[in-house]
Amino acid sequence: MLSKIDSLVKKVEGFSPSSKEELESFRLSYLGKKGHLTSLFNSFKEVPNEQKKEFGLAINNLKNLVQTKISSLKPLFSENNTGPKPDLFKPVKNSSIGSRHPISIVEQKIISIFNSIGFSVSHGPEIEDDWHNFTALNLPEDHPARDMQDTFFVQTNPDVLLRTHTSSVQVRHMQSNKPPIRTLSPGRVYRNEAISARAHCLFHQVEGLYIDEKVSFSDLKQTLLYFAKEMFGKNTKIRLRPSYFPFTEPSAEVDIYWGLEKESDYRITKGTGWLEILGCGMVDPNVLENCGIDSKKYSGYAFGMGIERIAMLLYGIDDIRLFYENDVRFLKQFSSTNL
Ligand code: PHE
């Protein structure tokens, strides 16, 4: 009987089927009910006790051999191997390409307009200290104007806060650069405001600063007029209204003439036809001095605008929350936009 097992082992080792069917009949002839292994196990009963161990091992070896043989041959005849081979040269499926966020599109446009008249870009931290966000900007502790900018403080330390404007970046820039200075500071700012269609606790600003000898208010006005025409069209008209900011004197708010053609124009301009787009003014001499710039020799102007506000006007978006929800149905609409 051992020699029978031996010869079966040799057969199994040399077995090389050419079809799925051949492999299946091989499986049945060994592992099937009437197969070799069943009959070997049956005749095992007649083997004398002292030889049982040797026979048992030999039969089990044969069984394992058959099983590994079958599982190694099976993949050769599986569906995947018999079907058509994949076409490795097939072009990939077009995955949808993302689009730039409307806030970055508008931010880039604002930057490129000011780049063209010599402004460079500077960045600073979003987590600021009190001095850069307030004190240096002529807002000493307990100054009532601090309430204008509802501030988020970081934990319980009143000296650490989320910047409420990017004027803090300009303070840093003035400290480490000498006039002439012409810089833009775009970035995210935070204010503790109730979230609604018109306001959010975070938004984006671009602020600008120009410091040199003999910079005047008329330089500011011409620069802003140039900006408004580039941004909103060459027939755009602007007007400046007196305003108050602690860091500029005199200060103004700038409106563009939007018109009163459509019904919605009445709503967004409150019936006046004019829309506020930014705040500006001549840098207060105290601010220059705080930042180590001689206010007798130098003067400068500054301005700041909210990017969301401008994007909402340009695209006719009436809910600021849409910018932060990242709903692709909203964002997709800007995929081909090139301002
Ligand atoms: N920092 C002001 C704000 O955030 C904007 C501003 C900048 C106004 C520069 C005047 C001059 O509201």
Side-chain angles (χ1 to χ4, degrees), residues 137-173:
L137 288 160
N138 211 23
L139 275 145
E141 217 182 306
D142 299 328
H143 192 290
R146 285 192 177 208
D147 292 346
M148 283 163 70
Q149 308 199 338
D150 307 280
T151 311
F152 281 117
F153 292 94
V154 174
Q155 295 187 337
T156 46
N157 185 348
D159 192 40
V160 185
L161 44 88
L162 298 181
R163 67 181 179 197
T164 59
H165 49 189
T166 56
S167 307
S168 54
V169 182
Q170 309 192 329
V171 171
R172 288 177 180 278
H173 192 82

Side-chain angles (χ1 to χ4, degrees), residues 68-138:
T68 36
K69 186 86 186 181
I70 291 173
S71 53
S72 71
L73 290 171
K74 226 177 179 175
L76 288 181
F77 304 108
S78 77
E79 293 295 301
N80 289 345
N81 277 329
T82 52
K85 296 259 178 337
D87 178 0
L88 298 179
F89 296 96
K90 205 170 158 189
V92 284
K93 252 195 204 158
N94 273 347
S95 52
S96 58
I97 298 171
S99 54
R100 283 165 68 211
H101 194 282
I103 296 296
S104 22
I105 297 174
V106 174
E107 179 181 298
Q108 274 312 312
K109 174 69 179 172
I110 298 171
I111 291 174
S112 74
I113 295 172
F114 285 102
N115 271 346
S116 72
I117 50 172
F119 282 77
S120 57
V121 171
S122 48
H123 293 283
E126 290 182 21
I127 300 175
E128 258 304 358
D129 54 49
D130 182 281
W131 195 81
H132 288 95
N133 195 79
F134 289 129
T135 311
L137 288 160
N138 211 23

Side-chain angles (χ1 to χ4, degrees), residues 149 164-167 170 191 205 207-208 245 247-248 279-281 302-305:
Q149 308 199 338
T164 59
H165 49 189
T166 56
S167 307
Q170 309 192 329
R191 292 191 196 174
Q205 277 190 329
E207 293 210 359
F245 297 104
F247 25 86
T248 47
C280 64
F303 56 86
M305 65 191 98

Side-chain angles (χ1 to χ4, degrees), residues 314-332:
L314 282 175
Y315 298 128
I317 296 164
D318 57 11
D319 192 328
I320 196 171
R321 292 169 290 199
L322 287 166
F323 290 121
Y324 317 111
E325 280 162 6
N326 285 333
D327 184 330
V328 276
R329 291 169 300 178
F330 171 71
L331 296 176
K332 254 189 189 164

Side-chain angles (χ1 to χ4, degrees), residues 166-186:
T166 56
S167 307
S168 54
V169 182
Q170 309 192 329
V171 171
R172 288 177 180 278
H173 192 82
M174 283 189 272
Q175 286 180 299
S176 48
N177 290 275
K178 289 195 167 44
I181 286 173
R182 233 178 301 182
T183 183
L184 276 189
S185 42

Side-chain angles (χ1 to χ4, degrees), residues 14-26 73 76-77 82:
F15 176 66
S16 142
S18 53
S19 70
K20 201 174 163 185
E21 289 69 32
E22 213 180 316
L23 178 63
E24 178 61 7
S25 63
F26 169 82
L73 290 171
L76 288 181
F77 304 108
T82 52

Side-chain angles (χ1 to χ4, degrees), residues 251-272:
S251 305
E253 269 164 324
V254 177
D255 298 341
I256 55 166
Y257 190 68
W258 189 255
L260 285 171
E261 280 159 31
K262 289 181 268 145
E263 214 183 306
S264 59
D265 295 341
Y266 283 85
R267 184 168 43 80
I268 61 171
T269 69
K270 299 195 182 91
T272 65

